[in-house]
Amino acid sequence: TLSDGERAVVRLSAIQGDLLDARRGRLGAIMGREFADNAFKIDALREGVRLSGHAAVPTLNRATAQHQYLFVNGRPVRDKLLAGAVRGAYQDFLARDRHPMLALFLELEPALVDVNVHPAKAEVRFRDAGLVRGLIVSALKHALAEAGHRASTTVASAALGAFRPMTHIAPHSGRPTTGFGQPGYVQPGYGPQAAALPRNFPRGLAEAAAQYLAPAHERMDHLPSIAAAPAGKVAEVGEGAGEERVAYPLGAPRAQLHETYIVAQTADGIVIVDQHAAHERLVYERMKRALDTAGVARQALLIPDVVELDPGAAERLAARAGELAELGLVLEPFGEGAVVVREVPALLGACDVQGLVRDLADELSELGQALSLKEKLGDVCGTMACHGSVRAGRRLSLAEMDALLREMEVTPHAGQCNHGRPTYVELKLADIEKLFGRR
């Protein structure tokens, strides 16, 4: 027991092995086992400055920056430049009020850093601050890209912990409400009924779904092949139509629940996907790729849409009309307190133009006039992607569900939406069997 005023001292045994692996074990002891299970390595070198350490996938985050440890030449610091670089690297993946877990170690020549700018030496000043910031942002973004569509294992643990065994089932009378032809029913298999795609299904995903319905020699090369599904493994799963999808990382779609969640079967478990969160991430990544290449394609509205706003919001939008046009949204003033929208990003498909414009007006109010929209691309594209995504409550065919899963597998960061929430939960069969006492 400790007397008043005494502090508990952490006592940990020495860890052997490679430096990065040893650090990971020690960080797990300090920050929790979940961090060790969900952290990726950081090891980068630029112009004599070395950055190493570990950072967690975005879906493992906290409400404060308490679990961010930054060291410069072995000295712990709380530096605004370093903290800002971390925020910049994760800005595409986390909401503003969420913070990643990480421990980063920066090593450079002592002459390149001044450690005496703060009495407690908690802050430092770099001779080349741009180099240090660029190194941190690029190293973290590269590591996040390599993580692919991976999400935190804590998501599955939380889901399993929420299950409770039922000891009593209330009697039910009457006809089933989810039989054939009833709301919520999904016909198993890939039969002809899956070929009917909604006309207003978001652009890109409908085309991807259509290719899986076509004969093999007619399919478009829309999505890359999945390395995780070798031909030999496919043959073992089964010969039925669509059964080879089980061998893919996110499995074969089996059903849609509450017109919001997709249930897929994998080789060793099941995956539950939030269709809106997943497609929001896919649309967002498509928009960023388009901006980096040929620009965002635009689609003219058959009937221009007039959006009524307060005068201040209308003025803010009109002032940024040129920048918005680069992002695919063409609008112009329409009298006092209104704008008329003539073109929208083609990637969004049939989107809610009124809601999109109002949300963008709110975003511009927060951004102010100091920054260009391209400098705050994450916020603007995130708002657009949200309005162009498959909404909760949308009935999907199996082909559409399959197209969504396949595109998630080849899209970086598909494991979390633009706000850091998970897009899917994976439950292993062994864990599910434990719930039923089979193991």
Side-chain angles (χ1 to χ4, degrees):
T1 59
L2 298 175
S3 60
D4 292 342
E6 288 186 326
R7 299 176 61 186
V9 178
V10 177
R11 298 183 181 275
L12 301 171
S13 58
I15 298 179
Q16 305 297 323
D18 174 77
L19 174 61
L20 285 175
D21 290 336
R23 274 183 180 169
R24 181 173 183 162
R26 177 52 46 86
L27 291 171
I30 299 295
M31 302 169 68
R33 174 65 183 272
E34 58 185 21
F35 176 81
D37 291 342
N38 295 283
F40 43 78
K41 292 181 181 179
I42 304 293
D43 192 8
L45 179 66
R46 180 185 294 180
E47 299 182 26
V49 181
R50 184 183 184 89
L51 180 71
S52 61
H54 290 83
V57 294
T59 44
L60 182 62
N61 54 68
R62 294 292 183 265
T64 68
Q66 181 180 358
H67 292 288
Q68 291 181 8
Y69 298 94
L70 305 171
F71 298 84
V72 176
N73 289 341
R75 182 190 303 274
V77 298
R78 289 286 181 186
D79 188 78
K80 293 180 180 179
L81 171 74
L82 302 182
V86 170
R87 282 196 304 272
Y90 277 86
Q91 68 178 358
D92 283 355
F93 319 110
L94 288 176
R96 295 186 181 92
D97 60 345
R98 304 301 298 180
H99 302 269
M101 299 176 66
L102 50 79
L104 299 179
F105 300 82
L106 198 65
E107 300 172 23
L108 69 169
E109 290 293 330
L112 300 179
V113 58
D114 183 359
V115 299
N116 295 311
V117 297
H118 189 275
K121 298 187 177 182
E123 297 180 10
V124 295
R125 181 175 297 147
F126 298 99
R127 177 174 295 180
D128 191 344
L131 169 65
V132 173
R133 188 183 192 283
L135 174 62
I136 294 174
V137 173
S138 62
L140 285 173
K141 284 194 171 184
H142 180 73
L144 285 165
E146 287 190 341
H149 65 269
R150 174 183 171 192
S152 170
T153 57
T154 59
V155 175
S157 300
L160 287 167
F163 280 99
R164 295 290 183 270
M166 293 184 65
T167 57
H168 173 71
I169 300 178
H172 175 71
S173 59
R175 298 176 60 185
T177 59
T178 56
F180 182 79
Q182 298 294 326
Y185 178 80
V186 175
Q187 175 71 26
Y190 285 83
Q193 76 284 346
L197 305 181
R199 285 186 296 176
N200 63 343
F201 198 76
R203 186 178 299 273
L205 194 55
E207 287 88 337
Q211 70 159 323
Y212 292 109
L213 299 172
H217 66 280
E218 297 179 3
R219 292 178 185 172
M220 299 177 292
D221 187 19
H222 177 74
L223 297 177
S225 59
I226 307 299
K233 187 173 182 181
V234 169
E236 296 173 1
V237 175
E239 300 298 328
E243 287 301 315
E244 71 276 6
R245 308 291 187 212
V246 173
Y248 282 34
L250 294 181
R254 296 304 191 204
Q256 182 187 30
L257 303 181
H258 299 286
E259 299 177 339
T260 301
Y261 303 101
I262 298 170
V263 179
Q265 177 184 342
T266 63
D268 59 351
I270 65 172
V271 168
I272 305 173
V273 177
D274 181 331
Q275 66 190 41
H276 173 65
H279 198 238
E280 182 179 338
R281 168 57 67 179
L282 299 183
V283 172
Y284 179 66
E285 294 296 334
R286 287 182 203 160
M287 291 192 71
K288 290 202 302 180
R289 287 196 300 269
L291 283 167
D292 290 338
T293 54
V296 177
R298 302 196 294 249
Q299 173 180 310
L301 297 177
L302 184 61
I303 302 176
D305 205 336
V306 178
V307 183
E308 300 286 345
L309 300 161
D310 66 77
E315 288 179 10
R316 285 192 294 271
L317 287 168
R320 300 293 189 107
E323 294 175 275
L324 288 170
E326 292 184 51
L327 300 176
L329 185 68
V330 177
L331 54 79
E332 59 190 48
F334 192 76
E336 185 178 357
V339 296
V340 58
V341 179
R342 300 192 181 280
E343 297 178 71
V344 296
L347 285 170
L348 302 187
C351 66
D352 175 13
V353 176
Q354 297 275 337
L356 171 60
V357 171
R358 289 193 175 94
D359 283 356
L360 282 175
D362 292 340
E363 288 282 353
L364 294 181
S365 176
E366 293 185 12
L367 296 180
Q369 301 297 321
L371 296 173
S372 70
L373 294 188
K374 285 191 174 181
E375 290 179 283
K376 298 297 292 181
L377 186 62
D379 295 327
V380 178
C381 281
T383 300
M384 289 188 173
C386 184
H387 285 274
S389 303
V390 176
R391 311 300 296 182
R394 172 80 68 84
R395 183 79 59 85
L396 303 182
S397 71
L398 283 172
E400 291 165 347
M401 289 186 259
D402 187 54
L404 183 67
L405 297 177
R406 303 291 75 82
E407 190 171 356
M408 287 177 66
E409 290 165 342
V410 297
T411 300
H413 323 304
Q416 56 273 324
C417 74
N418 307 336
H419 311 292
R421 294 188 294 270
T423 59
Y424 72 90
V425 176
E426 183 178 11
L427 304 178
K428 297 299 184 182
L429 186 60
D431 293 324
I432 297 173
E433 289 176 340
K434 289 178 182 178
L435 293 174
F436 292 93
R438 296 175 66 91
R439 288 199 173 195

